[in-house]
Amino acid sequence: MSELKQRKRTVATSADTSQERSETSLQEHRRAWWKIVLRIAATVVVLNFCFSFLITDTALWGHQSKWTNWRNYIPRRQRVFTQQELAKYDGSNPDLPILLAIEGDVYDVSLGRGFYGPGSTYNLFAGRDASRAFGTNCLSRKDHLTHDTRGLTESELAGIKSWHRLFEHHQRYVKVGTVTLDPIDPDAPIPPPCDGAQPKPI
């Protein structure tokens, strides 16, 4: 009788051991599959980046937004400028970045020095908010180099929004703050239309 009980215990122990081995083997099998899946996914991602760079010179097949600009992930304090303070960043001082504003948002365009630096055609945008000129394309009249957008057409206002989005999503420029704009006197004359409209920078 004692021998029978001992045999039953042996069989039970053997079954438990076999089950534990089976569960361990299953877990190892699952881990191995997950490793394979992760390796395949990593390979696909790397190949995607490589082909994208070869074809479009970008990592995301030409897609550009503020989320794809790595400079936006660098922690930086957003500063509030006065118009007088912003004027110091017009590129005339090589020790300071080149800043411009559009609709009150200030962007560092130092990497576009060829467009906005001293002596360039579009340096007149630097150190100020010239939103009106972005809408009218008028670079030849100083009265359009202002944030005063009164009297603009829907198309011109849409043009300002379009350029604002361009700076917001640009891969070389980054927002660094805002500018407190002087209020526009409602009785002040509205800048007249410009006949010498010129294209603006990219």
Side-chain angles (χ1 to χ4, degrees):
M1 187 68 177
S2 176
E3 183 179 350
L4 180 60
K5 288 182 178 180
Q6 187 174 0
R7 287 181 180 177
K8 288 182 178 180
R9 289 196 194 99
T10 302
V11 171
T13 302
S14 178
D16 291 340
T17 302
S18 177
Q19 183 176 1
E20 289 176 1
R21 289 177 179 174
S22 178
E23 291 177 355
T24 301
S25 176
L26 181 60
Q27 291 175 356
E28 292 177 351
H29 186 68
R30 288 174 178 173
R31 282 196 292 266
W33 270 108
W34 272 113
K35 289 180 181 179
I36 293 173
V37 170
L38 290 175
R39 287 174 182 172
I40 292 175
T43 301
V44 169
V45 170
V46 171
L47 288 176
N48 178 69
F49 285 153
C50 292
F51 282 119
S52 179
F53 270 115
L54 286 173
I55 297 172
T56 68
D57 288 329
T58 66
L60 297 174
W61 297 97
H63 174 70
Q64 295 185 352
S65 75
K66 64 180 181 180
W67 307 114
T68 59
N69 183 353
W70 61 267
R71 298 174 184 84
N72 286 323
Y73 295 95
I74 300 176
R76 66 183 80 240
R77 182 173 63 88
Q78 294 291 299
R79 178 177 171 183
V80 178
F81 297 84
T82 65
Q83 288 182 261
Q84 292 73 27
E85 290 171 336
L86 183 61
K88 299 176 183 178
Y89 298 87
D90 62 354
S92 59
N93 186 341
D95 295 327
L96 296 177
I98 301 175
L99 307 181
L100 66 74
I102 181 169
E103 294 189 303
D105 287 337
V106 179
Y107 295 90
D108 185 337
V109 296
S110 300
L111 293 179
R113 181 172 290 274
F115 286 123
Y116 301 106
S120 69
T121 304
Y122 306 112
N123 176 245
L124 48 82
F125 283 102
R128 70 177 84 204
D129 186 322
S131 294
R132 186 180 192 88
F134 277 107
T136 63
N137 290 349
C138 188
L139 309 184
S140 58
R141 296 180 51 137
K142 290 185 177 180
D143 55 357
H144 277 246
L145 301 177
T146 174
H147 60 280
D148 182 1
T149 58
R150 293 176 303 154
L152 295 185
T153 65
E154 290 297 323
S155 175
E156 290 170 334
L157 291 172
I160 296 175
K161 295 293 184 185
S162 176
W163 280 97
H164 196 165
R165 286 193 298 272
L166 182 143
F167 285 109
E168 183 71 14
H169 297 163
H170 205 285
Q171 299 303 287
R172 303 201 310 172
Y173 308 149
V174 63
K175 182 180 177 183
V176 294
T178 58
V179 56
T180 302
L181 299 169
D182 296 336
I184 301 296
D185 182 356
D187 296 325
I190 297 175
C194 180
D195 295 329
Q198 301 177 23
K200 294 183 296 302
I202 296 178

